[in-house]
Amino acid sequence: MKIQDSVLGEANARREADLRRDYESLGERLARRGIAIDAIKAKIAAFGIALPSWAAGTGGTRFARFPGAGEPRDVFDKIDDCGAVHRLTGLAPAISLHIPWDKADPAALLARAGEHGLIFDAVNSNTFQDHPDLPLSFKYGSLSHVDKAVRDQAVAHNLDCVELGRKIGSKALSIWIGDGSNFPGQADFTRQLDRYLESAHRIYAGLPEDWRLFVEHKMYEPAFYSTVVQDWGTSYLIAQELGAKAACLVDLGHHAPNVNIEMIVARLIRFGKLAGFHFNDSKYGDDDLDAGVIDPYRLFLVFNELVNAEGTPGFSPAYMLDESHNVTDPLESMMASAMEVARAHAQALLVDRAALRAHQESNDALMASETLKTAFRTDVEPILAMARLEKGAAIDPVAAFRALGYRAQAAAQRPKVSGAGGGIV
């Protein structure tokens, strides 16, 4: 399915005059603060975030899943859907595959992605589920399992992911494991971590020279008493031990409530171990809600640290969404989330860093806070929308998506998926 340029052009034409007036007005106000609006727009136009293939389908909970119309049937439908998100937002030029869910012929994957102008981001391994084509179970762990045969199987799966990723142009492997324990005494914490490290070293040794390894931590789930890679400190220690190509991935939902995530980001930047982000939002735990729906100020504060680090040697974090869309259209949610991430970036670019530094050096807590709030309270939507328009995307992506009838077209071509069963899929 393709987005029709003529229909998109008509949708933009109805909004363009108002957008240009809003952009001009905002430009005048920013100029009084010494900010060139076109420079901010250029940085936003160059910004991109990867889409996770799995987010193109409806998510779920441990209890149920309620799929919608036109669900993707396979990885090629997912690529088509992610291509539509990029076409309408201009913000999502890459797609991240999850193996074995998305395993397919590399040439076919490249051809379909090329039709949409997409490239492939990090590949994600999966050892938190059993695979139909693998003989051993990951029920009691994978890279840290007590049985070496299971660990060998998990290592081989990760190396298979690397091989597929190499063929499709990926440059990173992202590893998240569900290993841990559900009862006190079930596992020896130290031996379990040692087994994980031994397995991770073997994967690291199999990376191509120009690849990176993203170590992802998670506080809990599916292991509810202890988790092997449970926080950013353990993730950092693992990355340090593995070597220069290993770094820490920060998922905004993988922290205890009230953790200062932006400070974690600053620490990882300081020590050269920030791999990148999985963006989402959280109310209670790893809710995987749309980015910015609960705490947009925290998202802004994260980007404040990222903008502050621009120009640091070797600083090139990877950005990706990682969400579970249970009650919304997944493509609309991905569009909204990509725009919220870009919004936080634009707001962070507006921070008066000279003034902020002066307030910090003079211990003026109130004015330091107000300097950040001035940037956060600025409505940057005209910048985002103008960047989209000039890239040939939609001024209002969700409205255009609905006007184009993309979901109805998908439903007509794809048979309805059963909602039976539970679990996040």
Side-chain angles (χ1 to χ4, degrees):
M1 289 169 289
K2 292 285 187 179
I3 302 296
Q4 297 298 319
D5 291 343
S6 59
V7 181
L8 180 55
E10 292 173 5
N12 281 344
R14 292 192 294 270
R15 296 174 171 83
E16 185 173 348
D18 288 341
L19 170 59
R20 294 194 179 280
R21 283 192 292 269
D22 292 343
Y23 185 81
E24 181 179 357
S25 175
L26 177 59
E28 292 174 356
R29 284 182 280 128
L30 291 179
R32 292 197 292 271
R33 290 157 52 182
I35 299 171
I37 191 172
D38 286 346
I40 304 298
K41 181 188 64 178
K43 289 188 176 182
I44 294 303
F47 179 78
I49 186 167
L51 300 178
S53 62
W54 58 92
T58 302
T61 68
R62 294 193 308 279
F63 304 104
R65 175 176 177 269
F66 303 95
E71 292 272 311
R73 300 160 295 185
D74 53 31
V75 63
F76 299 103
D77 284 349
K78 296 174 187 176
I79 293 173
D80 288 344
D81 287 350
C82 290
V85 172
H86 180 51
R87 179 70 180 85
L88 291 171
T89 65
L91 288 169
I95 180 171
S96 185
L97 300 187
H98 205 297
I99 310 302
W101 299 339
D102 300 323
K103 194 171 184 179
D105 175 61
L109 291 170
L110 284 168
R112 183 63 66 90
E115 293 176 12
H116 300 284
L118 298 176
I119 61 173
F120 290 101
D121 197 65
V123 287
N124 301 264
S125 60
N126 179 338
T127 60
F128 54 86
Q129 291 179 321
D130 286 344
H131 302 190
D133 60 338
L134 296 181
L136 302 176
S137 176
F138 294 130
K139 179 177 181 178
Y140 295 109
S142 58
L143 296 178
S144 69
H145 200 285
V146 294
D147 186 342
K148 186 177 184 300
V150 178
R151 299 199 301 275
D152 289 346
Q153 177 177 275
V155 169
H157 166 68
N158 276 275
L159 294 176
D160 286 345
C161 292
V162 171
E163 180 59 19
L164 174 62
R166 187 185 62 78
K167 293 177 180 177
I168 61 176
S170 295
K171 294 293 183 181
L173 171 69
S174 179
I175 297 178
W176 171 75
I177 60 169
D179 295 26
S181 64
N182 285 281
F183 293 88
Q186 178 184 338
D188 182 299
F189 297 150
T190 301
R191 291 177 181 175
Q192 195 175 47
L193 179 59
D194 285 343
R195 292 192 294 267
Y196 171 91
L197 286 168
E198 187 271 337
S199 299
H201 273 293
R202 293 163 61 193
I203 297 168
Y204 186 90
L207 291 177
E209 191 59 35
D210 58 346
W211 272 52
R212 295 194 292 166
L213 178 65
F214 297 165
V215 180
E216 183 176 3
H217 71 271
K218 188 173 185 179
M219 183 177 63
Y220 70 96
E221 192 187 41
F224 287 102
Y225 172 66
S226 70
T227 307
V228 173
V229 190
Q230 86 287 0
D231 59 25
W232 76 277
T234 298
S235 177
Y236 174 77
L237 293 171
I238 291 168
Q240 279 287 87
E241 177 157 325
L242 291 179
K245 292 187 288 188
C248 306
L249 193 65
V250 177
D251 185 305
L252 269 61
H254 288 190
H255 308 266
N258 304 319
V259 165
N260 191 327
I261 299 175
E262 56 269 26
M263 189 170 72
I264 293 171
V265 171
R267 294 287 188 265
L268 291 174
I269 291 172
R270 166 61 180 80
F271 293 102
K273 284 298 185 182
L274 178 66
F277 293 88
H278 280 182
F279 287 111
N280 50 56
D281 213 335
S282 172
K283 177 66 175 175
Y284 298 107
D286 186 25
D287 309 320
D288 278 341
L289 302 175
D290 293 9
V293 298
I294 300 296
D295 195 348
Y297 193 55
R298 182 176 65 185
L299 185 59
F300 161 76
L301 292 175
V302 167
F303 267 97
N304 179 58
E305 297 301 328
L306 295 171
V307 170
N308 193 50
E310 287 182 352
T312 302
F315 179 72
S316 60
Y319 300 130
M320 192 185 83
L321 299 179
D322 184 11
E323 303 172 344
S324 180
H325 310 118
N326 304 332
V327 295
T328 60
D329 185 300
L331 304 191
E332 292 184 358
S333 274
M334 284 199 286
M335 284 186 278
S337 293
M339 290 187 288
E340 283 305 304
V341 173
R343 185 185 315 281
H345 186 199
Q347 290 167 326
L349 289 168
L350 301 182
V351 172
D352 186 335
R353 304 214 164 264
L356 181 61
R357 175 62 62 86
H359 297 319
Q360 291 169 340
E361 295 296 325
S362 64
N363 294 312
D364 193 335
L366 179 65
M367 289 310 300
S369 176
E370 287 300 310
T371 299
L372 292 181
K373 286 184 178 179
T374 295
F376 176 71
R377 289 191 293 245
T378 303
D379 180 7
V380 296
E381 182 57 33
I383 298 175
L384 305 179
M386 186 62 76
R388 291 194 295 268
L389 176 64
E390 292 181 355
K391 293 176 74 172
I395 293 175
D396 186 337
V398 173
F401 176 81
R402 295 187 176 192
L404 291 162
Y406 184 93
R407 183 56 66 190
Q409 294 179 49
Q413 296 181 22
R414 304 170 185 172
K416 185 174 178 59
V417 178
S418 169
I424 299 174
V425 291

